Amino acid sequence: MRPNLLLLGGTTEGTRLGHHLDQAGIAGTVSLAGRVADPARQGLPMRVGGFGGVAALADYLRQNAITHVVDATHPFAATISGNAVAACRQVGVPLIALTRPPWQEQPEDRWIKVPDIATAVQALAGPPRRVMLAVGRMHLPEFQPQSQHFYLLRLVDPPRQTPGFPDHHAIIDRGPFTVEGDLALLRRHRIDLILSKNSGGTGAMAKIIAARQLGLPVVMIQRPAIPQRPQVETIAEVIDWLGHGPTLRGV
């Protein structure tokens, strides 16, 4: 039986996988949360928006005869990842996660590790500083209690509402970014602290390397817990899991 995939996307890795599958003639659908206004082409047909919980996702798998699910969502997309684990178990559909390895702290780094957004907000208490806030536009309102700082915001899409920070600068840009570019950015805005999720991968790592070179502290939000599931770090491993390795690697 030929696979009919549901690819939970929203990452660079998911987009690349979608194009590989399309070129190999593997049927499937890419599902995006809809948080980016103009998503990149995904290769496979695309649906946008949530499913509405575990039961609704399980219904979708049944109604669309999905044979395999690949979770290539952001490492912090804990809700959909947890729902996917539960729905696939309920329906009996195999699931694998394509996950970026997290960034690893190096001896020269000055990381302040925090478990979640709420603790990250608390970590910014104190005198005004110049902060690069790299958490995405959805979480910006949570940092309004610490509005004493200057915030440098780098976002894929403009915020739907003006950020509630009296002193900020927003840059609308999409990675991958370079270390040289981020060094210049941090120097230009005189940043003395970075706050970031441990997203992993290479596309957004430049700011972490730049902080290391400049000796800047980084408040690093650790990844949320997700139920146990099979997990790989490369597209080739997903291809092998599907049983189409030679076909896809020959594209």
Side-chain angles (χ1 to χ4, degrees), residues 59-110:
D59 287 341
Y60 179 93
L61 299 179
R62 294 189 192 96
Q63 292 166 11
N64 291 275
I66 300 298
T67 62
H68 299 75
V69 175
V70 179
D71 182 357
T73 58
H74 192 277
F76 281 75
T79 299
I80 182 59
S81 292
N83 288 351
V85 171
C88 286
R89 285 176 180 165
Q90 188 178 122
V91 179
V93 170
L95 163 75
I96 198 165
L98 174 60
T99 304
R100 307 167 182 170
W103 297 320
Q104 299 297 324
E105 185 176 13
Q106 303 302 308
E108 321 89 272
D109 287 325
R110 297 175 57 195

Side-chain angles (χ1 to χ4, degrees), residues 2-5 7 13-28 42-44 68 70 96 98 234-251:
R2 290 182 63 81
N4 178 30
L5 272 74
L7 172 56
E13 297 83 2
T15 299
R16 289 175 183 158
L17 177 59
H19 285 289
H20 274 282
L21 296 169
D22 177 55
Q23 292 170 29
I26 304 299
Q42 301 294 312
L44 297 174
H68 299 75
V70 179
I96 198 165
L98 174 60
T234 67
I235 288 174
E237 290 172 294
V238 175
I239 290 166
D240 287 338
W241 177 76
L242 289 168
H244 286 260
T247 301
L248 289 180
R249 281 196 288 274
V251 170

